[in-house]
Amino acid sequence: MNFDAMLSQKTQETEEIILSFLPKEEGNQKTVLEAMNYSVKVGGKRLRPLLMAETYRMFGGDGEIIKSFMAALEMIHTYSLVHDDLEAMDNDEYRRGMKTTHVVYGEAMAILAGDALLNYAFEIAASAFERNPGDVRAERAMMVLARKAGIFGMVGGQVCDVEAEKRQLPLSKDQLLFIHENKTAALIQSALMIGAILAGAEQTYINALEKIGYNIGIAFQIQDDILDITGSEQELGKPVGSDVKNNKETYVTLAGLEASARQVEALSKEAVQLLGQLPGEHAFLDELILSLIHRTK
Amino acid sequence: MNFDAMLSQKTQETEEIILSFLPKEEGNQKTVLEAMNYSVKVGGKRLRPLLMAETYRMFGGDGEIIKSFMAALEMIHTYSLVHDDLEAMDNDEYRRGMKTTHVVYGEAMAILAGDALLNYAFEIAASAFERNPGDVRAERAMMVLARKAGIFGMVGGQVCDVEAEKRQLPLSKDQLLFIHENKTAALIQSALMIGAILAGAEQTYINALEKIGYNIGIAFQIQDDILDITGSEQELGKPVGSDVKNNKETYVTLAGLEASARQVEALSKEAVQLLGQLPGEHAFLDELILSLIHRTK
């Protein structure tokens, strides 16, 4: 099977795992359950849970426990998009070709759906304890999930991004990298780290994966900024040119398109090279990382 | 020492524990860290962590682990208030005599500070695993925390409350009790349950505490609704009469002031009576619960 076919199959499997954890849309909270599920079902590449599952397999993991963490991570990613899109934040009306959650359900319900998704992520992750009491790996996975998603991870990056946009101050490359490291790379790092932790990998490998996740995350964000200029609205499912319109500084405005594209390639290739120093089968992971260099959506 | 002096001392101890878990206001995320800490420092009765600590002692707990869960629960309570107060939600400008978080820091930062507090709560709770790996009690406490705070707990109640207010439909007493059970009682239940779980209490006692927490929570909410009519703005630190102004249905509008006051008393006394069937010393807890019947703030 070629890479594209494998990617499509693995994405489908990941999708099914995520959907299997969605709560039923019933009872008094029906509206918010619908809003939560709508946000998750809008879809996307499912890159984070896919990376997690692949790293888990790479280190010999073959249990069910990975599934709850895959779903939890995707729900955290989803809540962050729901809150990002709010009127009080970026006020975005479309994502992946669909109306954003606050447009469909209103601002109050979108805030609550985001809160509910974040909380539900930890509820799903904690459900692993019920099936495997005393499992120190699951405990460590939970710690990494909470740290990378929080104020010293994703939320921290998001805050700096919002502030930078509001103040319209020039950003240094270091400040920009701080934002990308946290806002974008942190969850990707957690995907790789949690996959390895749950499979019982040793600490030196977890540390290496944190570095690899940093590279993938920064490359991913720079490619996003490139696509905001060169991409097609139809493929992306959202308006392009929003960074220029909002006078937003990005890696591309700082370094130019060409140097940015070279940086995406360099970071991705280094990630693959570092991955090559780790044990385990990772041919698909290599191809997945390299495929992100030339992604068009 | 009389009850008031003991309550004051225990509240002070609880306050110090909570403050000790606040993150340092430094680094690139300084603004949101300030907003988080501002929201927590605005204060309040610290009722939930206090109830947790007392239940923990009641069942013989004497470790440090309770502290991280006390702080985590108060942060979840605080985030829920920060998001409740948002312009897109209740649009409240004052709480406990202080300006609300979105008034001081803006709507976007208040959304993010709330997200950060919710996430940080789970980060703090998960830190218990670092010090006590494989501790099944801490795992169970984490599960209860996530469930009671989430879509089948507090957030679920909040959603129904928002919807009821928006639609201005008449509520049945059952619907109102569903809202109170989740929006208000769920976190109080989690306080009692987590205290007992971390102390190693057996399951039948945990179940009894869930019922006791239900009573305390419903009584607490009805008393809140009573105070919105009979209370003083100065003591409460926020405008009174907001329920009437917003045409909001409460237990008081359904049952009348007098029957509501009787209900608060009956629920509280039943809670104390149920507590009396459990082992352990709970004289202070009894007094604390009964003191809530006549609270004026």
Side-chain angles (χ1 to χ4, degrees):
Chain A
M1 211 190 303
N2 69 15
F3 171 73
D4 285 344
M6 275 176 80
L7 177 61
S8 164
Q9 188 190 306
K10 283 172 188 282
T11 304
Q12 182 58 35
E13 287 165 11
T14 304
E15 183 80 15
E16 279 162 23
I17 289 168
I18 294 163
L19 297 183
S20 75
F21 280 90
L22 290 183
K24 283 198 187 124
E25 298 171 6
E26 60 185 20
N28 288 315
Q29 310 96 317
K30 196 166 183 291
T31 311
V32 76
L33 291 164
E34 283 174 9
M36 288 165 73
N37 293 353
Y38 173 83
S39 325
V40 175
K41 284 179 186 165
V42 163
K45 288 175 276 293
R46 310 302 191 193
L47 178 64
R48 293 154 194 80
L50 183 53
L51 287 170
M52 190 189 285
E54 287 303 308
T55 317
Y56 184 62
R57 284 195 202 102
M58 176 178 160
F59 286 96
D62 65 351
E64 292 289 306
I65 193 169
I66 194 70
K67 293 181 179 174
S68 44
F69 282 90
M70 289 167 69
L73 184 57
E74 189 68 7
M75 289 192 194
I76 289 177
H77 173 56
T78 304
Y79 112 81
S80 79
L81 302 180
V82 172
H83 279 189
D84 262 24
D85 289 338
L86 289 169
E87 279 171 46
M89 307 279 279
D90 287 353
N91 196 16
D92 282 324
E93 291 182 18
Y94 285 92
R95 184 176 283 279
R96 298 164 185 158
M98 303 275 282
K99 285 189 175 165
T100 47
T101 308
H102 71 101
V103 171
V104 179
Y105 293 93
E107 187 88 349
M109 202 51 72
I111 293 170
L112 288 167
D115 293 348
L117 280 168
L118 172 57
N119 197 104
Y120 198 57
F122 288 108
E123 199 171 340
I124 291 174
S127 71
F129 298 138
E130 202 154 14
R131 290 183 297 278
N132 310 279
D135 182 344
V136 178
R137 292 177 187 178
E139 292 177 358
R140 287 180 59 209
M142 176 72 104
M143 283 187 274
V144 169
L145 186 69
R147 182 158 50 84
K148 290 292 184 185
I151 190 64
F152 303 111
M154 186 184 66
V155 177
Q158 169 66 0
V159 163
C160 296
D161 198 24
V162 166
E163 279 202 300
E165 223 172 319
K166 196 177 59 186
R167 292 189 187 160
Q168 296 268 327
L169 290 176
L171 284 176
S172 68
K173 206 176 267 190
D174 276 357
Q175 289 172 311
L176 201 63
L177 286 177
F178 175 89
I179 292 173
H180 293 349
E181 175 177 359
N182 288 285
K183 184 172 174 172
T184 311
L187 285 198
I188 291 176
Q189 292 176 311
S190 81
L192 303 176
M193 293 165 78
I194 289 171
I197 287 168
L198 289 177
E202 45 183 276
Q203 189 58 42
T204 49
Y205 299 148
I206 314 291
N207 297 343
L209 288 164
E210 191 166 20
K211 165 70 180 142
I212 293 166
Y214 174 88
N215 274 30
I216 301 173
I218 303 289
F220 190 88
Q221 182 59 52
I222 298 176
Q223 185 66 14
D224 246 18
D225 297 338
I226 291 174
L227 288 174
D228 192 63
I229 294 173
T230 66
S232 97
E233 199 152 319
Q234 204 183 353
E235 275 194 286
L236 292 168
K238 61 180 179 186
V240 296
S242 66
D243 293 341
V244 173
K245 199 182 75 188
N246 297 327
N247 206 11
K248 183 170 182 171
E249 254 182 309
T250 70
Y251 201 91
V252 180
T253 63
L254 280 181
L257 264 177
E258 217 172 297
S260 297
R262 277 201 305 274
Q263 187 63 3
V264 170
E265 189 163 343
L267 284 165
S268 304
K269 288 191 169 163
E270 191 192 32
V272 169
Q273 182 248 318
L274 290 169
L275 204 56
Q277 298 170 10
L278 304 184
E281 163 60 41
H282 49 77
F284 176 78
L285 253 183
D286 289 352
E287 284 202 80
L288 177 58
I289 294 166
L290 295 174
S291 76
L292 296 173
I293 301 175
H294 302 293
R295 71 188 171 93
T296 54
K297 61 181 179 180
Chain B
M1 214 191 302
N2 67 16
F3 171 72
D4 285 344
M6 276 176 78
L7 177 61
S8 165
Q9 187 191 307
K10 282 171 187 283
T11 304
Q12 182 58 34
E13 287 165 13
T14 304
E15 183 81 15
E16 279 162 22
I17 289 168
I18 294 164
L19 297 183
S20 74
F21 280 91
L22 291 183
K24 284 199 185 121
E25 297 171 7
E26 62 186 20
N28 288 314
Q29 310 97 317
K30 197 167 182 289
T31 311
V32 76
L33 290 164
E34 284 173 8
M36 289 165 73
N37 293 353
Y38 173 82
S39 324
V40 175
K41 283 179 186 163
V42 163
K45 288 175 275 296
R46 311 302 190 193
L47 178 64
R48 292 154 194 80
L50 183 54
L51 286 170
M52 190 191 284
E54 287 303 309
T55 316
Y56 184 61
R57 284 195 203 103
M58 177 178 160
F59 286 95
D62 65 351
E64 293 289 305
I65 193 170
I66 194 71
K67 292 181 180 175
S68 44
F69 282 90
M70 288 167 69
L73 183 58
E74 189 67 7
M75 290 194 192
I76 290 177
H77 173 57
T78 304
Y79 112 80
S80 79
L81 301 181
V82 171
H83 279 189
D84 261 24
D85 288 339
L86 289 169
E87 279 171 46
M89 306 279 279
D90 286 352
N91 197 16
D92 281 323
E93 292 183 17
Y94 285 92
R95 185 176 283 279
R96 297 164 186 159
M98 304 275 281
K99 286 187 175 168
T100 48
T101 308
H102 71 101
V103 171
V104 179
Y105 293 92
E107 187 88 349
M109 202 50 72
I111 292 169
L112 289 166
D115 292 349
L117 279 169
L118 172 56
N119 197 104
Y120 198 57
F122 287 108
E123 199 170 339
I124 291 175
S127 72
F129 298 139
E130 202 153 14
R131 290 184 297 278
N132 311 280
D135 182 344
V136 178
R137 292 178 187 178
E139 293 177 357
R140 287 179 60 211
M142 176 71 105
M143 283 189 273
V144 169
L145 187 68
R147 183 159 49 84
K148 290 293 184 184
I151 189 65
F152 303 111
M154 187 185 65
V155 178
Q158 170 65 359
V159 164
C160 296
D161 198 24
V162 166
E163 280 202 301
E165 221 171 321
K166 198 177 58 187
R167 292 188 186 161
Q168 298 268 325
L169 291 175
L171 286 175
S172 68
K173 205 176 269 189
D174 277 355
Q175 289 172 311
L176 200 63
L177 285 177
F178 175 89
I179 292 173
H180 293 349
E181 174 176 358
N182 288 285
K183 183 172 175 172
T184 312
L187 286 198
I188 291 176
Q189 292 176 310
S190 81
L192 302 177
M193 293 165 78
I194 289 171
I197 287 168
L198 290 176
E202 45 184 276
Q203 190 57 44
T204 49
Y205 299 148
I206 314 290
N207 297 344
L209 288 164
E210 191 165 20
K211 165 68 179 145
I212 293 167
Y214 174 88
N215 274 30
I216 300 173
I218 303 288
F220 190 88
Q221 183 59 52
I222 298 176
Q223 184 65 14
D224 247 18
D225 298 337
I226 292 174
L227 288 174
D228 192 63
I229 294 173
T230 66
S232 99
E233 200 152 317
Q234 204 183 352
E235 277 194 285
L236 292 167
K238 63 181 178 185
V240 295
S242 66
D243 292 341
V244 173
K245 199 180 75 188
N246 296 328
N247 207 12
K248 183 169 181 171
E249 252 181 309
T250 69
Y251 201 92
V252 180
T253 62
L254 279 182
L257 266 176
E258 217 171 301
S260 297
R262 277 199 306 273
Q263 188 63 4
V264 171
E265 188 163 345
L267 285 164
S268 305
K269 288 191 170 163
E270 192 193 31
V272 169
Q273 183 249 319
L274 290 169
L275 203 56
Q277 297 169 10
L278 305 183
E281 164 60 40
H282 49 77
F284 176 78
L285 254 183
D286 289 354
E287 284 201 80
L288 177 58
I289 295 165
L290 295 175
S291 76
L292 296 172
I293 301 175
H294 301 294
R295 72 188 170 91
T296 54
K297 60 180 180 180

